Amino acid sequence: MDNYIVSARKYRPMTFSSVVGQEALTTTLKNAVKSGKLAHAYLFCGPRGVGKTTCARIFAKTINCEHITADGEACNECGSCKSFNDGRSMNIFELDAASNNSVENIKTLMEQTQIPPQTGRYKVFIIDEVHMLSTAAFNAFLKTLEEPPAHVIFILATTEKHKILPTILSRCQIYDFERMTVPKIIDHLKMVAERENIAYEEEALSVIAEKADGGMRDALSIFDQVASYCQGNITFQKVLEDLNVLAADNYFRIVDLALENKVSDIMVLLNSIIAKGFDAGHLINGLASHVRNVMMANDPQTLPLLEVSQQQRQKYQEQAQKCPKRFLYRALKIMNECDVNYRQSSNKRLLVELTLIRVAQITQPADDDADGAGRSPKRLKILFKNIKKSQPKPAQQVAGVEKKETVAATATPTVATQPSTPQPTDAPQRPSKEIASVTKSSTPRIKLKNIGTTFSSLRQGPKQPAYLVAQQAGTKTAADSNKEFTEEQLSIQWTLMCNRMPQHLVGLASRLKNIMPHIVDYPNIEVVIDNEILLSQVNDIKGNIEATMKKTLGNDQITLSLKLADIDSSRKAYTKRELFDELRRKNPAIEKLRLKLGLELA
């Protein structure tokens, strides 16, 4: 059995013209070779599998070619080209920086740069994955990279340019490789399939190209896998089975059902997709990419942004004609929110279901309560609602017959209330004939006062005894309006009054609690206030305070007088600590009790 070689190695380009998708870079390199204007260091950067190392090898072979063609290609016939193709060239060195990233490895490489080539003109050093070098290795490499010997050329390759030191970047010519487009990958896979005598469907190759995500090496690896599974006949259905890829038809169907507001069908389709082993989060990501493609297909200017086959592009254009732009924009926003919240969600399937329901409701007419205040923009609309158009009823039926049937069908007794003022009829819009017909056909009204009570009496609460009613209704005696009170009673009622003050007078009430009124000439009350501001505030409510004292103390003869305290007579405001110090000074036993209990003053 012959040794099998994978397609990525078997069909690796050997010339600049066979490199796929990097025409601008290869043209620049060929022109540099033809003109002889070669830099001492090059940096090839870009995503994986796009030809960085391949171009570095072709460039190194072409530099040392003895008979360069007119278009800047290697002849592949001279001794230098043959030795390179056979893998025995002594002028081209490759170093994998991922496994040789120490300072010692770089120093060994620098020693080899001092030896001139035995054949050819240049020694070419290709350092792959150069971003893996340590910082010390980069620093050891700097001086030689800036001023290498005339016979040395460095070609560095990396997938992560941002990890390379700026001092290295400034010493190199930088070439950025592009991602492979889907059409170019498909064309290259067709060429490989024809050479391998493998039958294929273009739609199947499109799935492989999309799965490769811009990498030609990945596309060829997937192609070998699928070719082995399909046994020489690559079909669309077998590719889906082998790669476990969700068919794009599912996305087209979900969008079509969402436009028709068929939530139930979407839920059934989602369940069948999950039952096949597909992840719900991947479904949302794929659906978001699908809606994005539909949006791109909606405008001829953005149509070239679709990286799909021609057949798929036609499908996207057809669906784009049916999708309003508002639907596409809101669907993308909803699915992006789902993608952000997917990892944190404890019930991922429910999150996906709610997302699809919201997408299906974008074009659904608003519910009856949509105009009401306070409706949340994320509130789910009614999912299953049968809208029936009722026939308009005659005015006679609406005004009379229906209400007659309602009155006749209800057996609950009506309540006759007796308002204190004349009220209009219960339904002024109803004609008198209708009222007469309803009254004649209805049962006799039962009045609650026939059974001893009414709603008015129920609202008034339990009936009080006669002696209490007589006592409350009687006139006040002179003794009731001229009760005697003491300083203690005055102090209590004053504090209670302060506690009952309304909310906007809380600050004034707290200050009034610290002022105790006293009886100067019974029943006259005097209040001494410390400052003029407080005095003016109390003056504003003096009448209310006086009325309250009369009522709570039961003496209508009370008069309230406000007085501003003299500076000499005003008392000092003591803190709690000062009051305690004064108290224990007058009574030493309190201090002894504090010490015995081990209490500390806060």
Side-chain angles (χ1 to χ4, degrees):
M1 179 182 291
D2 296 336
N3 291 331
Y4 173 74
I5 301 177
V6 296
S7 299
R9 292 180 56 196
K10 185 176 181 179
Y11 296 98
R12 192 166 196 167
M14 301 297 293
T15 60
F16 284 123
S17 59
S18 60
V19 176
V20 180
Q22 310 296 341
E23 289 78 8
L25 294 180
T26 55
T27 301
T28 304
L29 295 175
K30 286 191 294 183
N31 292 338
V33 172
K34 287 190 297 182
S35 63
K37 297 178 180 179
L38 300 176
H40 64 274
Y42 295 87
L43 175 64
F44 294 168
C45 50
R48 69 182 189 278
V50 295
K52 298 184 297 297
T53 306
T54 298
C55 286
R57 291 177 177 178
I58 296 173
F59 188 45
K61 180 179 69 171
T62 307
I63 288 173
N64 286 317
C65 180
E66 298 174 2
H67 307 290
I68 299 174
T69 62
D71 58 349
E73 294 279 7
C75 66
N76 286 322
E77 295 179 358
C78 64
S80 176
C81 291
K82 288 182 178 179
S83 63
F84 176 82
N85 293 337
D86 296 339
R88 52 183 177 82
S89 176
M90 301 299 295
N91 293 336
I92 300 174
F93 300 88
E94 288 193 35
L95 177 68
D96 180 20
S99 55
N100 302 279
N101 55 6
S102 64
V103 178
E104 288 75 14
N105 299 127
I106 295 298
K107 287 183 177 180
T108 303
L109 185 67
M110 296 303 101
E111 292 174 357
Q112 294 180 3
T113 61
Q114 304 300 322
I115 304 174
Q118 299 301 314
T119 59
R121 287 173 293 177
Y122 296 99
K123 267 193 173 183
V124 183
F125 294 87
I126 301 174
I127 304 179
D128 203 4
E129 303 297 335
V130 69
H131 65 274
M132 299 291 288
L133 289 178
S134 62
T135 305
F138 269 129
N139 293 331
F141 186 40
L142 275 177
K143 187 61 178 176
T144 305
L145 183 64
E146 184 177 10
E147 298 178 357
H151 59 271
V152 172
I153 293 178
F154 291 103
I155 303 177
L156 314 179
T158 180
T159 56
E160 301 183 36
K161 183 174 68 173
H162 61 278
K163 291 186 177 180
I164 300 178
L165 297 179
T167 51
I168 298 291
L169 296 177
S170 64
R171 288 166 169 80
C172 301
Q173 282 190 9
I174 302 174
Y175 290 81
D176 290 307
F177 284 68
E178 300 177 358
R179 292 175 68 254
M180 296 293 177
T181 62
V182 171
K184 290 182 178 179
I185 294 177
I186 293 176
D187 292 339
H188 191 69
L189 293 180
K190 286 180 181 179
M191 183 270 295
V192 174
E194 290 171 358
R195 290 189 180 182
E196 297 292 330
N197 295 322
I198 298 175
Y200 62 87
E201 293 179 1
E202 185 172 348
E203 195 173 0
L205 298 183
S206 176
V207 174
I208 297 175
E210 293 175 9
K211 185 77 172 177
D213 193 25
M216 184 63 75
R217 184 173 60 238
D218 293 353
L220 291 171
S221 300
I222 297 172
F223 177 83
D224 289 343
Q225 174 186 340
V226 172
S228 177
Y229 177 76
C230 298
Q231 290 297 310
N233 185 17
I234 300 177
T235 62
F236 176 71
Q237 193 60 37
K238 288 184 179 180
V239 169
L240 296 180
E241 294 174 1
D242 185 41
L243 300 181
N244 196 28
V245 176
L246 185 60
D249 292 340
N250 293 285
Y251 301 134
F252 283 103
R253 179 164 173 75
I254 289 176
V255 173
D256 289 338
L257 293 174
L259 291 173
E260 299 173 5
N261 310 128
K262 294 182 178 179
V263 177
S264 302
D265 294 342
I266 293 178
M267 294 296 103
V268 173
L269 179 58
L270 172 64
N271 183 70
S272 64
I273 291 173
I274 295 177
K276 293 178 182 178
F278 293 101
D279 182 67
H282 293 163
L283 170 65
I284 291 296
N285 291 332
L287 184 60
S289 300
H290 174 84
V291 174
R292 177 260 179 194
N293 290 341
V294 174
M295 185 173 62
M296 295 298 107
N298 206 349
D299 192 337
Q301 293 182 349
T302 57
L303 189 60
L305 299 179
L306 288 180
E307 294 186 355
V308 294
S309 63
Q310 188 63 33
Q311 186 178 1
Q312 287 289 96
R313 180 173 298 185
Q314 184 66 28
K315 290 183 179 180
Y316 280 118
Q317 286 180 306
E318 293 175 359
Q319 190 169 73
Q321 301 301 322
K322 300 183 293 184
C323 295
K325 290 186 178 180
R326 173 178 172 272
F327 170 82
L328 298 175
Y329 297 154
R330 294 197 61 185
L332 283 175
K333 180 180 179 182
I334 292 172
M335 286 183 288
N336 182 62
E337 292 174 357
C338 177
D339 183 50
V340 171
N341 300 325
Y342 187 79
R343 290 187 179 181
Q344 289 77 21
S345 175
S346 58
N347 193 342
K348 293 179 170 52
R349 175 165 180 169
L350 178 60
L351 176 63
V352 172
E353 289 175 345
L354 291 176
T355 300
L356 294 178
I357 290 172
R358 292 176 60 194
V359 171
Q361 291 177 342
I362 294 175
T363 59
Q364 178 177 328
D367 297 337
D368 295 338
D369 63 340
D371 295 333
R375 181 181 176 92
S376 172
K378 293 185 179 180
R379 175 177 169 185
L380 295 179
K381 302 174 184 178
I382 299 173
L383 300 185
F384 314 101
K385 180 178 180 182
N386 296 325
I387 303 175
K388 297 181 180 179
K389 294 183 179 180
S390 58
Q391 297 294 332
K393 298 179 180 180
Q396 181 180 1
Q397 182 182 358
V398 175
V401 178
E402 281 188 346
K403 296 191 176 182
K404 183 186 298 184
E405 292 175 356
T406 304
V407 175
T410 55
T412 55
T414 57
V415 180
T417 58
Q418 297 179 359
S420 57
T421 59
Q423 299 289 336
T425 58
D426 293 338
Q429 72 278 8
R430 295 166 62 184
S432 58
K433 292 182 179 180
E434 178 201 341
I435 299 173
S437 62
V438 172
T439 307
K440 291 178 182 179
S441 61
S442 60
T443 56
R445 298 193 179 191
I446 302 174
K447 297 183 179 180
L448 286 179
K449 69 179 182 178
N450 294 338
I451 59 175
T453 186
T454 62
F455 277 130
S456 299
S457 61
L458 289 174
R459 284 194 293 266
Q460 291 175 0
K463 193 173 182 180
Q464 295 180 345
Y467 67 91
L468 286 178
V469 176
Q471 181 178 353
Q472 292 177 0
T475 58
K476 293 183 179 180
T477 61
D480 293 335
S481 60
N482 195 14
K483 289 183 179 180
E484 294 185 359
F485 58 91
T486 62
E487 288 273 359
E488 184 179 358
Q489 293 174 339
L490 173 61
S491 177
I492 292 173
Q493 295 301 330
W494 179 269
T495 304
L496 293 176
M497 177 198 69
C498 294
N499 293 334
R500 291 193 301 267
M501 282 190 174
Q503 185 68 26
H504 66 279
L505 295 177
V506 171
L508 179 60
S510 62
R511 290 192 291 271
L512 289 178
K513 287 181 183 179
N514 298 326
I515 301 174
M516 285 296 108
H518 57 278
I519 304 171
V520 290
D521 184 14
Y522 187 87
N524 300 324
I525 302 172
E526 183 181 66
V527 180
V528 180
I529 300 176
D530 297 337
N531 57 78
E532 295 182 357
I533 298 176
L534 182 58
L535 179 61
S536 63
Q537 293 177 351
V538 177
N539 260 324
D540 295 339
I541 59 172
K542 176 182 176 182
N544 295 337
I545 296 176
E546 189 174 287
T548 302
M549 290 293 101
K550 288 180 180 180
K551 182 176 180 181
T552 55
L553 294 175
N555 194 319
D556 293 340
Q557 306 299 322
I558 293 177
T559 59
L560 180 66
S561 61
L562 304 177
K563 179 182 177 182
L564 182 64
D566 298 334
I567 298 178
D568 297 335
S569 62
S570 59
R571 296 180 298 172
K572 177 184 176 182
Y574 291 98
T575 63
K576 294 182 179 180
R577 180 64 177 265
E578 292 173 341
L579 291 174
F580 181 76
D581 291 341
E582 181 66 19
L583 185 61
R584 65 182 178 179
R585 185 183 65 80
K586 295 181 179 179
N587 192 350
I590 294 179
E591 179 63 17
K592 292 181 181 180
L593 178 62
R594 184 188 71 82
L595 295 175
K596 189 171 183 180
L597 296 176
L599 301 176
E600 295 291 337
L601 295 177

